[in-house]
Amino acid sequence: MKLRELLAAIDENIQLPKHPAMDEEVKGLTTNSHATAPGDLFIGMPGTRVDGGDFWQSALKSGAIGAVISSQAFEKHPPTAADCVISGTDMPKICAQIASTFYDYPGQKLKMVGVTGTNGKTTTSHLVEYFLHQSKLPTALMGTLYTRWQGFSETAIHTTPFAVDLQKQLAAAINAGNEYSVMEVSSHALAQGRVLGCQFDVSVFTNLTQDHLDYHKDMDDYFAAKALLFSPDYLKGRAIINSDDSYGKKLIESLEKSQVWSYSVNDSTADLWMSDLNYESNGVSGKLHTPKGEVEFRSPLIGQYNLENLLAAIGAVLHLGLDLQLIANAIPQFPGVPGRMERVQINSQQDISVIVDYAHTPDSLENLLKASRPFIRGKMICVFGCGGDRDRTKRPQMGKIAADFSDKAVVTSDNPRTEDPEKILEDILEGIPDSVNPTVICDRATAIKTAILNAESGDGVLIAGKGHEDYQILGTEKIHFDDREHAHDALVVRMK
Ligand SMILES: CC(=O)N[C@H]1[C@@H](OP(=O)(O)OP(=O)(O)OC[C@H]2O[C@@H](n3ccc(=O)[nH]c3=O)[C@H](O)[C@@H]2O)O[C@H](CO)[C@@H](O)[C@@H]1O[C@H](C)C(=O)N[C@@H](C)C(=O)N[C@H](CCC(=O)O)C(=O)O
Ligand SMILES: Nc1ncnc2c1ncn2[C@@H]1O[C@H](COP(=O)(O)OP(=O)(O)OP(=O)(O)O)[C@@H](O)[C@H]1O
Ligand SMILES: N[C@H](CCC[C@H](N)C(=O)O)C(=O)O
Ligand SMILES: [Mg+2]
């Protein structure tokens, strides 16, 4: 596509330069001046540290045929007539418009499900993917763990990719024969307009509890970002919303009634709800009521929160036309999600249960501990930490929750990033009452080993915070680290 045609996609009133590059073919798009290849169009994005537009000269030097940048960057570094530089004001929107046009509007062609909320996005989107696959509908999944579809899987860098990568991946998904896409949409992505240009047939809201207050000003600001997924810019179909959540209720009130299917674990006024509930140590069973009929099912997923994820996913796929009985029949075989309540079991003689889980917020940690209690005969030992360079206010809260809901808290490092790991531990310990005596071991490998070796027969060791992650970020370095491997090795030593 020629640069002139591509820029016509921008709905802002921009001034196009009289430059021969305007009639050149654009070979690719980039938002990173360091990764610019000859023939690219460089899009300068204002970030939290710098304005990418300030680097247009470097991008042109690397072979970009042109650059689209913010008006601030344009004024700061005015181009000459020899440079093909265009300026605009709403850069996220401009970037999304260019990216979706360049990749031929994949976000409008696929049937799209977007899942947002503080917790449960990865689990819910895996359930949606699973049900669509059970119905033989080719589906792409994008989220925290990976972008994948049949025959393809790539580890994700962000939960929600930036616009250029996102549109490129959606186009690749279509090329590979996919008709559906289910994606986690983070609040960062919504605040930064990463998914503009996508039209969602279903938008799901799981819940809103504290996280990311390093990035969002306060909870209202955080909620406003999440709520964008339900605005006409994004949502073209059905909103599936958790009405047991207070922010979910608020969201429902802001939307047309006919647009929403609410879900609740026990409120019969919701569109999807459960009766005859029976929580068991290895799952939950009950009768599901939906706008498309009623059905009984048994789910292998533990805890009320996973039932909520299931209701959200069922609502989404019912709206897409899947058969309710087929869904109910498929639930018992759901294989689970890596790093979510994942058991580490080395053999049948193992005398303690060990579970790795991605709980890294106050709410998810509390949920994990409450949901695990019924199937642990002995004491519940919770190994956890908090990420560095992220919301600090959740640290003492998580400390208090671990103290309140487990029998032994083992406080350790998560991903310290550029913070002093000992300082993060201090922040966590501030929330732990004086009457409680936690074990504090900064080195995560040692903490896991100590917890597993000191546990008594029948105890349960819950290792929270990193789930599927196979790395630890220390400073700016990323080392290989997998909770499951460390737990496995410690169990081998224990069972010798
Ligand atoms: C807060 C946030 O989203 N930050 C992202 C953002 O970084 P930033 O705002 O600091 O970017 P910046 O350094 O100011 O640069 C701005 C622009 O200038 C460009 N640039 C910069 C320097 C240069 O020399 N040349 C150049 O072109 C950059 O490529 C960028 O496009 O843009 C970077 C590059 O595109 C991202 O890698 C970075 O993600 C950071 C690493 C991150 O950790 N993000 C997390 C918080 C995140 O997005 N998480 C959510 C999930 C949250 C959840 O669990 O719900 C996610 O969707 O993954
Ligand atoms: N619906 C839910 N409500 C509360 N907690 C949940 C819910 N679903 C999962 N959890 C807990 O939160 C953790 C993370 O779950 P999941 O990965 O599905 O959420 P996510 O929203 O994708 O998280 P992230 O934003 O970090 O990608 C799980 O390991 C579990 O402990
Ligand atoms: N998506 C989450 C990941 C947190 C995982 C945890 N292990 C940490 O490093 O804090 C975030 O961006 O806050
Ligand atoms: Mg996720």
Side-chain angles (χ1 to χ4, degrees), residues 121 144 159 186 188 211-212 214 358-361 385-391 394 414-417 444 464-469 471 473:
K121 298 184 293 299
T144 310
T159 285
S186 66
H188 293 79
D211 201 6
H212 305 307
D214 52 323
Y358 196 47
H360 56 264
T361 67
C386 291
D389 300 338
R390 293 279 196 277
D391 190 343
K394 67 182 180 180
D414 189 291
N415 290 312
R417 300 193 177 84
R444 191 168 179 98
K466 290 177 60 61
H468 63 279
E469 291 178 357
Y471 57 82
I473 309 172

Side-chain angles (χ1 to χ4, degrees), residues 31-34 42 45-52 55 121 157-160 162 186-189 192 194 211-212 215 226 360 390:
T31 55
N32 182 351
S33 59
H34 303 289
F42 173 71
M45 298 301 291
T48 52
R49 295 180 309 119
V50 293
D51 184 341
F55 305 97
K121 298 184 293 299
I157 300 168
H158 291 97
T159 285
T160 313
F162 285 77
S186 66
S187 58
H188 293 79
Q192 296 164 11
R194 295 182 205 168
D211 201 6
H212 305 307
Y215 181 77
K226 295 271 184 210
H360 56 264
R390 293 279 196 277

